[in-house]
Amino acid sequence: MTTSSPSSSSTTKMSLKLLVDKKAERVLFAEASKDFIDFLFNLHRLPIGMVTKLLTKNNMVGSLGKVYESIENLSNTYLLHENKNKDILLKPKTPIPPGFLLLSNYDTNINEEEIEPPKLYMCSNNWCRYYYVTLVPNTQCSNCGHAMDNSVTYVGKNKMEVKGYYGGGGEGGFVKEAVTYMVMDDLMVQPMSSISCISLLNKFNIKDVSSVEEMDVEFGVHEGIELLKASLLCNNVLTSVFHSNIKIKKESNVILH
């Protein structure tokens, strides 16, 4: 696996081993490590606004792209808090470090001094005795109605706390490292075993084992965005992302024979 520091995460590449049905030109499953599984699980932490932004409004599934475009084009005259409301909607904050899509082993490289903890806000009314907090500044206090724009100091930020906040656990990420995982074409994840592999070949009704081939591919930022998009459109996600690789491999094999 090729990795990079968080600051250069756009060049990070993961290695995946695909088991491909050459005749059907489809991925049966992928053999993946912790990094790829953490990437998949992290997708569930993305706010919908961030998903729209990642896919760009023109490629967004359904009509969410139009909502994004409407927010962009809406005059500040109609906004309650001018540009602040646009930033909240178009640039939503996510509890994942920048470049998380392919940030391999970020738990060991993370610089806690560069990480900002979540900003919390309390009611600005000194007479309000309810200690409610919010992540969104200027939210109306449910007790007295004043704006909650009094910034609260976050105490803590030790290394394990930061890693747990961004990665979901003390050791970073979500799944254990000393395990190989099987990712199905529809992104179903399970631990890998020889028994599960044989069962899957039977499930896919693979009679001719010679039609099945292993293929090593690289998974970078581009593939990450394509996977996110495909996961919203279809069930054969891995086949959709790597179909061109499969086709090239198949054509090269034909030429060699």
Side-chain angles (χ1 to χ4, degrees):
M1 176 178 297
T2 305
T3 60
S4 68
S5 64
S7 60
S8 59
S9 58
S10 60
T11 61
T12 303
K13 295 281 187 179
M14 296 182 188
S15 296
L16 288 179
K17 188 181 291 293
L18 307 178
L19 191 67
V20 175
D21 182 348
K22 294 181 294 182
K23 290 183 178 178
E25 293 186 9
R26 62 173 176 169
V27 175
L28 300 179
F29 63 84
E31 182 181 322
S33 63
K34 166 185 170 61
D35 296 310
F36 186 73
I37 306 305
D38 283 340
F39 157 74
L40 288 181
F41 288 0
N42 261 324
L43 292 181
H44 276 273
R45 304 175 72 190
L46 281 178
I48 193 65
M50 181 67 75
V51 172
T52 310
K53 185 177 179 182
L54 281 170
L55 297 182
T56 73
K57 57 181 180 289
N58 294 325
N59 293 323
M60 188 61 201
V61 179
S63 299
L64 282 175
K66 295 298 181 184
V67 177
Y68 191 95
E69 189 174 353
S70 299
I71 298 168
E72 272 187 322
N73 296 334
L74 191 65
S75 170
N76 289 340
T77 305
Y78 302 101
L79 295 176
L80 192 61
H81 299 293
E82 296 187 353
N83 286 330
K84 186 173 289 186
N85 274 16
K86 278 197 176 182
D87 286 343
I88 291 172
L89 295 169
L90 299 179
K91 303 173 184 177
K93 295 184 183 298
T94 173
I96 306 172
F100 87 98
L101 279 174
L102 293 163
L103 192 53
S104 176
N105 297 325
Y106 63 81
D107 54 301
T108 56
N109 297 322
I110 205 165
N111 184 349
E112 59 200 86
E113 298 303 321
E114 297 176 356
I115 295 175
E116 289 296 327
K119 291 184 178 180
L120 304 174
Y121 300 88
M122 290 183 65
C123 181
S124 58
N125 181 5
N126 292 329
W127 298 103
C128 183
R129 299 303 181 190
Y130 285 79
Y131 299 105
Y132 298 142
V133 293
T134 179
L135 290 168
V136 182
N138 294 308
T139 297
Q140 187 177 26
C141 177
S142 57
N143 177 52
C144 67
H146 276 69
M148 300 178 69
D149 56 6
N150 187 17
S151 180
V152 179
T153 302
Y154 180 88
V155 179
K157 201 180 173 185
N158 60 65
K159 187 165 186 178
M160 293 306 290
E161 185 177 354
V162 170
K163 284 161 63 175
Y165 177 73
Y166 282 106
E171 67 178 85
F174 298 95
V175 296
K176 293 183 177 180
E177 190 165 3
V179 179
T180 300
Y181 298 90
M182 177 185 292
V183 183
M184 306 304 296
D185 199 9
D186 61 0
L187 303 185
M188 181 70 73
V189 177
Q190 65 184 70
M192 187 130 182
S193 70
S194 56
I195 295 175
S196 59
C197 292
I198 295 170
S199 298
L200 281 173
L201 290 177
N202 291 328
K203 177 184 176 181
F204 291 124
N205 198 27
I206 302 294
K207 303 297 184 183
D208 183 8
V209 182
S210 64
S211 68
V212 177
E213 183 177 350
E214 287 187 351
M215 180 185 300
D216 293 316
V217 295
E218 288 190 333
F219 189 88
V221 172
H222 172 73
E223 290 80 11
I225 299 297
E226 288 299 309
L227 184 144
L228 176 58
K229 180 181 176 182
S231 68
L232 298 171
L233 288 170
C234 61
N235 288 323
N236 57 334
V237 179
L238 296 179
T239 296
S240 176
V241 174
F242 295 107
H243 186 260
S244 59
N245 301 66
I246 298 169
K247 201 170 182 65
I248 291 171
K249 180 74 171 177
K250 182 179 179 181
E251 289 173 353
S252 64
N253 286 343
V254 170
I255 293 172
L256 288 174
H257 289 89

